Amino acid sequence: EFDQVRLGGYPAPFRELLGIHIGEFAPMVDGERYRVEMPGHGTFSCDLWSDPLALEGAEAIATYADGWLAGRPAVTHNRHGRGTAYYMGTRLEAAGMIALLNAITSDKGITGPLEAPAGVEVVCRRTGDGDLLFAINHGEARAEMALHGTYVDTLSGRELDRLALEPFGVAILVPSD
């Protein structure tokens, strides 16, 4: 709250949890970009900052491909207790963030309520009466997706086994009885 420095090296209270140490901050100048390599997922650009990470138990899941940190960790994970902590030492481009999040969710067996195209948000809300699936198309193009079973769109009253959402369209789905 008061922008005070915590002693012990950055990220002081989280060093053990994250399994890393950052000796200094390394902001990048406006327009400067590096590349980050994520084995099995591709190479992506990054900007804004590039932390020089020292591993203290964590493992690198992506490394800088160029620049003064070439070959050094850019993104790490550390198994700690019953979970895993991740640290991003830079800001990845959108495609890199998608690849990273897909790798993490796949590794952890996390899936969404529906397989949705890019730009479509699907969220499940549990109520005392059952599940509601909210589907929101944030894109400017029509989006279509298969449903796992038959649902009723509560906004239109139609029974569906496929969902088509117009640009910025919304559907609230309940399983058909």
Side-chain angles (χ1 to χ4, degrees):
E1 175 180 335
F2 299 104
D3 203 21
Q4 297 176 348
V5 173
R6 298 183 83 166
L7 299 177
Y10 189 76
F14 305 108
R15 274 179 74 174
E16 183 180 338
L17 173 71
L18 295 170
I20 60 169
H21 177 259
I22 303 168
E24 60 183 286
F25 293 105
M28 296 165 74
V29 297
D30 204 23
E32 185 177 15
R33 294 180 116 36
Y34 295 139
R35 292 176 307 125
V36 169
E37 186 174 357
M38 203 177 316
H41 301 284
T43 301
F44 307 96
S45 69
C46 65
D47 67 355
L48 196 59
W49 82 97
S50 55
D51 289 341
L53 305 177
L55 301 179
E56 294 182 342
E59 295 177 32
I61 57 176
T63 56
Y64 293 102
D66 54 13
W68 69 285
L69 291 171
R72 303 249 329 250
V75 181
T76 64
H77 71 144
N78 187 40
R79 288 175 175 75
H80 189 274
R82 293 182 299 167
T84 304
Y86 294 86
Y87 185 84
M88 293 177 40
T90 189
R91 180 173 73 174
L92 293 171
E93 66 173 298
M97 280 299 300
I98 290 168
L100 176 62
L101 293 174
N102 284 341
I104 292 169
T105 56
S106 175
D107 181 53
K108 299 299 177 193
I110 299 169
T111 60
L114 292 176
E115 191 170 324
V120 176
E121 174 185 2
V122 179
V123 178
C124 180
R125 296 287 183 239
R126 300 197 188 280
T127 71
D129 298 327
D131 294 348
L132 295 171
L133 285 181
F134 290 78
I136 306 167
N137 182 0
H138 295 282
E140 295 182 7
R142 179 181 171 95
E144 296 187 23
M145 67 191 87
L147 300 173
H148 304 294
T150 306
Y151 287 80
V152 174
D153 179 358
T154 62
L155 300 177
S156 69
R158 292 180 301 144
E159 194 169 85
L160 310 167
D161 60 3
R162 288 193 59 76
L163 178 62
L165 290 172
E166 296 302 321
F168 310 106
V170 175
I172 303 173
L173 308 171
V174 294
S176 180
D177 291 327

